[in-house]
Amino acid sequence: QGEGSARRSLQLIERSVARLDGLVTAHRDLDVDTADLFYPERRPLNLSNFLAQMLENYEIALARQGKRLSRRIEPDVMVYANEDALETVIENLLDNAISFTPASGTVEVRLQAESRRVRLAVLDEGPGVSACDMQHLFERGFSTRSGRADGGDVPVCHQGLGLWIVKRNVESLGGTVTARNRPTSGFEVAIRLKGES
């Protein structure tokens, strides 16, 4: 009976910690990402180099999960943007794609110049999004995730802020964001920003 009671207490603590961690993370993200992002200072930025540096750490993290990173990045793609706002956008898109991509799957990052605009897309091999959910995808507080981590017993707090932050930051930089299901399976989120000639 003592062991059973201790095990239940440990499970309760784990659930509480998971919920608290989710709330603290969400609050921290809002505090950091809200400040100065409605009119962020912008300057020319080599997005190809900026992205390549960010992807180095993600490549290591993906390998540990048995997943792969595919890059299709044009060299010397320049944008007129704010580094902090853009870094938060890229982190949210990558974290989302990684979490939905199954083991042995691939997360793909594409960057290309399109006339006076720049297109950055992150693609996963997850289940995609239903037509019903698609129209709410960028709303604050909306999440398509289950409340469990990897189907386990410990509840996970999903605040539904990631894509809302992406949309808000991209629009604050004068850009646009779109999302679609891939033709076979998986999901793609693409942002378009003003290029810097």
Side-chain angles (χ1 to χ4, degrees):
Q1 185 176 358
E3 285 186 17
S5 177
R7 190 162 44 249
R8 285 191 296 275
S9 296
L10 184 58
Q11 289 172 346
L12 181 60
I13 291 170
E14 287 177 345
R15 293 189 186 102
S16 298
V17 169
R19 283 194 296 270
L20 182 60
D21 182 59
L23 290 170
V24 169
T25 299
H27 183 70
R28 182 197 63 206
D29 287 347
L30 274 179
D31 282 347
V32 171
D33 297 326
T34 298
D36 299 325
L37 283 180
F38 294 106
Y39 301 101
E41 182 181 351
R42 289 179 266 178
R43 65 181 184 83
L45 174 69
N46 187 319
L47 185 53
S48 301
N49 294 344
F50 186 72
L51 188 57
Q53 291 174 356
M54 288 190 66
L55 290 179
E56 286 181 11
N57 291 331
Y58 277 94
E59 198 158 23
I60 295 170
L62 277 162
R64 287 178 182 155
Q65 298 178 38
K67 303 174 185 179
R68 295 179 299 277
L69 177 66
S70 172
R71 314 178 189 204
R72 291 170 56 182
I73 301 174
E74 288 185 6
D76 297 323
V77 173
M78 301 295 296
V79 293
Y80 191 62
N82 175 277
E83 286 190 19
D84 293 335
L86 204 49
E87 182 176 25
T88 301
V89 166
I90 295 168
E91 285 177 347
N92 275 295
L93 292 181
L94 287 170
D95 290 343
N96 243 21
I98 291 169
S99 68
F100 281 109
T101 295
S104 77
T106 300
V107 172
E108 187 174 347
V109 179
R110 301 175 182 174
L111 175 65
Q112 63 189 103
E114 296 180 337
S115 185
R116 296 184 179 180
R117 308 288 283 180
V118 167
R119 184 178 190 271
L120 168 62
V122 178
L123 304 88
D124 65 47
E125 293 183 345
V129 176
S130 71
C132 180
D133 287 342
M134 189 75 77
Q135 58 186 326
H136 303 291
L137 203 59
F138 294 101
E139 294 176 5
R140 181 175 178 174
F142 179 79
S143 177
T144 62
R145 301 174 191 270
S146 69
R148 307 279 169 180
D150 300 324
D153 293 328
V154 180
V156 177
C157 182
H158 297 298
Q159 296 297 313
L161 296 174
L163 289 179
W164 172 76
I165 289 172
V166 166
K167 184 175 188 289
R168 188 206 54 199
N169 284 17
V170 169
E171 290 181 349
S172 77
L173 296 172
T176 59
V177 57
T178 57
R180 67 182 181 94
N181 287 314
R182 301 174 70 179
T184 50
S185 64
F187 196 65
E188 174 187 59
V189 180
I191 66 171
R192 285 181 172 82
L193 297 168
K194 179 184 177 183
E196 177 68 19
S197 54

